[in-house]
């Protein structure tokens, strides 16, 4: 594609502060807060201009599309690499004006506790100047803020 197909994958493993209330809707709410806080996370690519250039278009929050979200449950941490590889191999379909990031939650058990791997994937051309580690930390803080109502 005109923007390249190199992606940046960031991940963090965490335990939710309130296990019994953590679900996909909470993650969707956290993704919405992230888009509201960071306008660039509402961007998609427009490349249909006669000058052959590629432009980022930042939508307003009310019209912004949903972030692609996958939720996977695995039986052991050993399966984590395979799920991450599958997630990272999916390229963005720029022709569909998709948002330029996606998210996956991988749920697994470790030492009889539910653990989660939060993965964010962004195109390399889009991440210039953004710190994916900061986005991951912020996302986990938002998730824990929602579940604890703080």
């Amino acid at each position: 594609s005109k923007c390249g197909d190199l992606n940046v994958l960031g991940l963090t493993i965490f335990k939710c502060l309130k296990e019994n209330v953590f679900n996909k809707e909470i993650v969707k709410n956290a993704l919405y807060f992230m888009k509201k806080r960071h306008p660039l996370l509402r961007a998609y690519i427009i490349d249909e201009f006669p000058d052959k250039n590629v432009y980022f278009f930042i939508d307003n929050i009310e019209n912004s599309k949903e972030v692609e979200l996958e939720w996977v449950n695995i039986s052991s941490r050993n399966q984590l690499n395979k799920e991450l590889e599958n997630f990272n191999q999916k390229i963005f379909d720029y022709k569909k004006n998709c948002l330029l990031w996606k998210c996956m939650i991988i749920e697994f058990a470790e030492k009889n506790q539910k653990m989660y791997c939060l993965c964010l994937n962004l195109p390399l051309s889009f991440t210039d100047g953004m710190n994916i580690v900061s986005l991951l930390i912020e996302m986990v803080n938002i998730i824990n803020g929602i579940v604890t109502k703080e």
Side-chain angles (χ1 to χ4, degrees):
S1 78
K2 292 182 182 178
C3 293
D5 292 325
L6 295 175
N7 291 342
V8 175
L9 176 70
L11 64 96
T12 187
I13 295 176
F14 70 101
K15 180 180 176 227
C16 191
L17 292 178
K18 284 195 170 182
E19 193 58 48
N20 57 341
V21 297
F22 188 55
N23 58 43
K24 197 171 187 175
E25 285 306 310
I26 287 171
V27 176
K28 285 182 177 183
N29 286 337
L31 292 170
Y32 177 82
F33 284 124
M34 293 288 288
K35 289 189 314 179
K36 192 172 181 181
R37 183 171 162 86
H38 302 283
L40 199 55
L41 296 179
R42 299 192 302 263
Y44 58 89
I45 288 184
I46 300 175
D47 68 350
E48 299 170 354
F49 291 100
D51 62 7
K52 306 285 187 212
N53 289 325
V54 175
Y55 298 93
F56 291 114
F57 178 80
I58 298 175
D59 218 340
N60 62 39
I61 192 67
E62 292 80 21
N63 295 334
S64 179
K65 297 180 189 232
E66 282 194 24
V67 178
E68 181 183 328
L69 171 62
E70 292 183 41
W71 189 294
V72 178
N73 194 332
I74 59 176
S75 57
S76 75
R77 192 171 178 167
N78 296 337
Q79 296 171 283
L80 194 58
N81 285 344
K82 181 164 178 52
E83 291 299 331
L84 292 171
E85 183 179 320
N86 291 339
F87 180 65
N88 200 42
Q89 285 180 349
K90 296 176 189 169
I91 61 172
F92 291 90
D93 188 353
Y94 298 117
K95 293 292 181 195
K96 291 186 177 178
N97 293 339
C98 65
L99 293 180
L100 300 176
W101 64 306
K102 55 188 173 181
C103 177
M104 180 170 67
I105 299 285
I106 302 174
E107 182 179 341
F108 62 97
E110 187 170 86
K111 297 179 184 175
N112 295 324
Q113 291 186 12
K114 275 192 183 178
M115 300 293 289
Y116 299 93
C117 178
L118 167 63
C119 311
L120 297 179
N121 187 312
L122 297 93
L124 180 63
S125 62
F126 183 68
T127 58
D128 187 33
M130 294 180 70
N131 186 330
I132 200 162
V133 174
S134 295
L135 292 175
L136 287 164
I137 292 168
E138 183 176 354
M139 182 88 175
V140 171
N141 287 338
I142 290 171
I143 287 170
N144 282 322
I146 292 171
V147 298
T148 60
K149 298 182 180 2
E150 292 181 3

